[in-house]
């Protein structure tokens, strides 16, 4: 087909197959996810036949949002090529019909998830998850520092530590429901993609934050220090989450280190469930990451607060 030949002649041609062939679509979707390709063109079956019969063809263009500059160039180039082909096809159709015909192709730009294409709807859903973590950590760390100042080294039984964790988890779940439910509804941001996933993922995210807060709180001796720490770490944690700055552009050791903080998998998990409607299978890496952090920091917290243990 002349159209696909024109695509292959452009600078956006993939290296290992003809763009638009039916067998290639699944492979290029994987390469986009890995950051090796920036765009995908889907040509439906019967496209050429419909054009030759005077119908209106439909093409689907998908671009990666990890690098907006590259993705924009690829989509713009593919769109221009499609428009040029539409003009040529219209001339051919007009020759057969004997009268000018409408363009058989129409380029329609339609965002998949950020339907309003606004800055707020793209950033606020992720920032809300970071707020849930930071506010919960501030309360836990300040309380731990205050009790440490007054009582010295803190020690709790496993049952007592579980009760403290349950109390903070209840507060965290309420905060999570408030931001992912009421706030998203009031501000009319994308929401409700997978409600069961949002509830399960949110509970697991809060559990990981509580376990992390209990462990981190055992190191604070004063109540003022947590405010200073939360103030300087909020913005770096958001960047490390990979939502505003793509993880594929980070140094690999830094990307792995970021996964030790609950906000990194938590932000991506909640955005996947609540805004993008991902299934549990699609969010499995983040779910496993949060479950691992819950067990890791929970075990460390039990060790740090064990009665009779010597140390700071």
């Amino acid at each position: 087909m002349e159209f696909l030949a024109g695509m292959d002649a452009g600078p956006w041609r993939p290296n290992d197959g003809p763009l638009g062939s039916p067998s290639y679509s699944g492979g290029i979707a994987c390469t986009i996810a890995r950051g090796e390709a920036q765009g995908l063109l889907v040509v439906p079956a019967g496209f050429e036949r419909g054009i030759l019969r005077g119908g209106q063809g439909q093409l689907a263009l998908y671009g990666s949002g990890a690098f907006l500059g590259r993705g924009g160039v690829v989509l713009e180039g593919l769109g221009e090529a499609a428009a040029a082909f539409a003009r040529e096809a219209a001339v051919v159709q007009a020759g057969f019909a004997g009268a000018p015909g409408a363009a058989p192709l129409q380029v329609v730009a339609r965002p998949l998830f950020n339907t309003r294409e606004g800055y707020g709807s793209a950033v606020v859903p992720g920032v809300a998850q970071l707020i849930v973590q930071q506010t919960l950590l501030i309360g836990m760390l300040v309380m731990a520092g205050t009790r440490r100042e007054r009582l010295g080294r803190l020690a709790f039984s496993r049952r007592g530590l579980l009760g403290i964790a349950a109390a903070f988890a209840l507060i965290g779940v309420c905060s999570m429901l408030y931001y992912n439910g009421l706030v998203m509804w009031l501000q009319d941001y994308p929401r409700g993609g997978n409600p069961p996933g949002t509830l399960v993922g949110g509970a697991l995210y809060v559990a990981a934050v509580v376990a992390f807060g209990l462990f981190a709180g055992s190191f604070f001796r004063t109540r003022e220090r947590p405010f200073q720490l939360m103030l300087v770490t909020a913005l770096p944690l958001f960047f490390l989450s990979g939502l505003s700055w793509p993880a594929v552009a980070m140094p690999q050791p830094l990307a792995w280190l970021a996964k030790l903080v609950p906000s990194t998998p938590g932000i991506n998990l909640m955005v996947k469930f609540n805004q993008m409607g991902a299934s549990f299978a699609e969010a499995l890496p983040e779910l496993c990451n949060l479950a691992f952090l819950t067990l890791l920091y929970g075990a460390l917290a039990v060790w740090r607060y064990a009665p009779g243990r010597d140390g700071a």
Side-chain angles (χ1 to χ4, degrees):
M1 185 188 298
E2 294 182 2
F3 179 54
L4 293 182
M7 294 295 99
D8 287 337
W12 44 81
R13 181 183 59 185
N15 295 326
D16 55 349
L19 185 63
S21 61
S23 61
Y24 191 75
S25 299
I28 197 172
C30 296
T31 62
I32 289 178
R34 294 194 300 267
E36 299 175 3
Q38 301 299 322
L40 168 63
L41 168 67
V42 177
V43 181
F47 172 78
E48 184 176 14
R49 178 181 298 179
I51 294 295
L52 295 177
R53 294 176 61 183
Q56 188 175 46
Q58 293 183 351
L59 297 173
L61 303 179
Y62 300 91
S64 172
F67 296 93
L68 297 180
R70 297 180 186 176
V73 170
V74 170
L75 292 180
E76 182 180 359
L78 291 174
E80 291 177 355
F85 174 77
R87 290 190 293 269
E88 295 176 2
V91 173
V92 175
Q93 290 181 356
F96 283 110
L105 286 175
Q106 182 179 4
V107 178
V108 179
R110 182 176 300 168
L112 292 179
F113 304 110
N114 184 12
T115 54
R116 295 184 176 275
E117 298 186 86
Y119 179 79
S121 57
V123 175
V124 170
V127 173
Q129 317 313 319
L130 183 62
I131 292 175
V132 171
Q133 172 183 282
Q134 296 300 93
T135 53
L136 189 58
L137 286 180
I138 287 177
M140 296 181 67
L141 299 183
V142 169
M143 182 171 292
T146 302
R147 291 179 63 86
R148 183 74 177 269
E149 282 182 338
R150 298 176 179 179
L151 305 176
R153 181 187 175 276
L154 301 178
F156 303 101
S157 64
R158 292 186 179 182
R159 180 176 297 180
L161 194 62
L162 182 61
I164 295 174
F168 281 114
L170 179 60
I171 298 174
V173 168
C174 293
S175 177
M176 184 272 298
L177 293 176
Y178 169 74
Y179 282 104
N180 288 282
L182 182 62
V183 170
M184 298 298 164
W185 174 70
L186 286 176
Q187 300 298 327
D188 196 23
Y189 290 143
R191 62 195 180 277
N194 185 351
T198 301
L199 294 176
V200 174
L204 189 56
Y205 176 39
V206 169
V209 173
V210 169
F212 178 75
L214 288 174
F215 172 63
S218 65
F219 295 93
F220 287 87
R221 298 174 180 270
T222 61
R223 67 186 305 270
E224 291 81 10
R225 195 69 64 192
F227 291 103
Q228 300 169 348
L229 182 64
M230 294 297 103
L231 182 64
V232 300
T233 58
L235 191 58
L237 288 178
F238 182 70
F239 286 140
L240 288 174
S241 69
L243 188 65
S244 62
W245 183 266
V248 295
M250 298 181 191
Q252 195 61 36
L254 186 61
W256 282 102
L257 186 63
K259 293 183 179 181
L260 294 177
V261 183
S263 59
T264 299
I267 289 175
N268 290 280
L269 178 69
M270 299 306 293
V271 170
K272 280 185 176 182
F273 277 148
N274 200 29
Q275 275 68 48
M276 303 175 71
S279 64
F280 283 94
E282 292 170 328
L284 188 60
E286 288 80 11
L287 290 171
C288 293
N289 193 169
L290 288 173
F292 170 75
L293 294 182
T294 302
L295 296 176
L296 173 65
Y297 291 124
L300 291 175
V302 171
W303 168 68
R304 287 287 297 176
Y305 292 107
R309 191 189 71 82
D310 295 331

